[in-house]
Structures are given as structure tokens and as C-alpha cells.
Amino acid sequence: INAEYGVTDKLGLHALRNRKEDALAAKEEESAKKEEELKRLVEKQKTMEGNIADLEVSLGSATEKATSLDRAKKKLEGELKRFEDELETERKAKAALDKSLRGKEAELKDANAKIQE
């Protein structure tokens, strides 16, 4: 008989043992639930780590593409600048030719006028 817990008869001792077993079972059940929750969280963490790794790969790829597009843009800007410079040179040449042509036309008119005299 267990006087330490205030139990002095066999029936009380049996009830005390049942309460202890119930408490132990409840703690084991709680521990099992916590373990399952921990496993679930570990799986969730692994999934998130995998997603992060995928995002890092995607970010790296996007960065490479952005760098490549930037290079292509700079190349096209250079080609456009060169084309604009060539176009300006051609405009100046045309203006010079137009001026020369007007000069020749004036000379021709003068020459015609002298012939008419």
C-alpha cells in the first residue's frame, strides 16, 4: 500500500496506477503528435529550400539573359549611331551636290543669256 501518495487501500492504489498510465499514455500521444508536427515542418523546410534553390537558378538565368540583352542593346545602339552618322554624312553630301547643281544651273543660264545676246 502506497502511503506516500495518500493511498491506503488496494482500490486506491489501482486507481493511482490507472491515472499514472493514463497520464503516461497522454504524454506519449502528445509526444507522437509533436514528432509528427516536427516531421511535417522538416518536410516543409526541405520543400522551401528546394523552391529557394530553384528560384536562385531562375534568378541566375534571368540575370544572364538580362546581361545578354544589355549587350545586344548596346550593340544595336552602336549600329544605330553609326547609321545616323552615315545618314548625316550623306545629307551633307547631297546638300553640297544640290549647291553645286544650283551653281552649274546659274552658270548655264548665264551662258545661255550670253549666247542669246
Side-chain angles (χ1 to χ4, degrees):
I1 310 216
N2 197 340
E4 180 182 334
Y5 293 103
V7 178
T8 55
D9 62 5
K10 286 185 179 186
L11 188 57
L13 185 58
H14 183 66
L16 181 62
R17 282 185 189 144
N18 284 341
R19 283 197 307 260
K20 283 182 181 180
E21 288 173 3
D22 289 347
L24 181 61
K27 287 206 181 270
E28 287 175 353
E29 185 177 330
E30 186 178 328
S31 178
K33 284 181 183 178
K34 285 182 180 180
E35 192 173 311
E36 284 299 315
E37 179 67 11
L38 183 60
K39 285 180 184 177
R40 189 183 66 75
L41 289 173
V42 166
E43 281 301 314
K44 189 173 184 179
Q45 181 181 1
K46 287 179 183 177
T47 299
M48 291 176 98
E49 288 172 352
N51 290 342
I52 289 170
D54 290 347
L55 287 172
E56 287 172 343
V57 168
S58 294
L59 179 60
S61 177
T63 301
E64 289 174 12
K65 287 178 184 176
T67 302
S68 176
L69 287 172
D70 191 46
R71 275 188 248 129
K73 178 185 172 197
K74 286 179 181 178
K75 182 179 177 184
L76 287 173
E77 286 172 345
E79 289 178 17
L80 178 61
K81 175 72 172 126
R82 192 178 73 245
F83 175 76
E84 288 172 341
D85 290 347
E86 288 174 7
L87 185 60
E88 184 61 26
T89 300
E90 287 180 14
R91 283 183 187 149
K92 287 178 182 178
K94 183 183 179 298
L97 285 173
D98 287 345
K99 185 176 179 182
S100 174
L101 182 60
R102 283 191 300 274
K104 296 290 180 188
E105 286 175 346
E107 288 176 19
L108 187 57
K109 279 185 183 179
D110 288 346
N112 278 339
K114 284 182 183 180
I115 293 174
Q116 296 288 331
E117 294 177 0

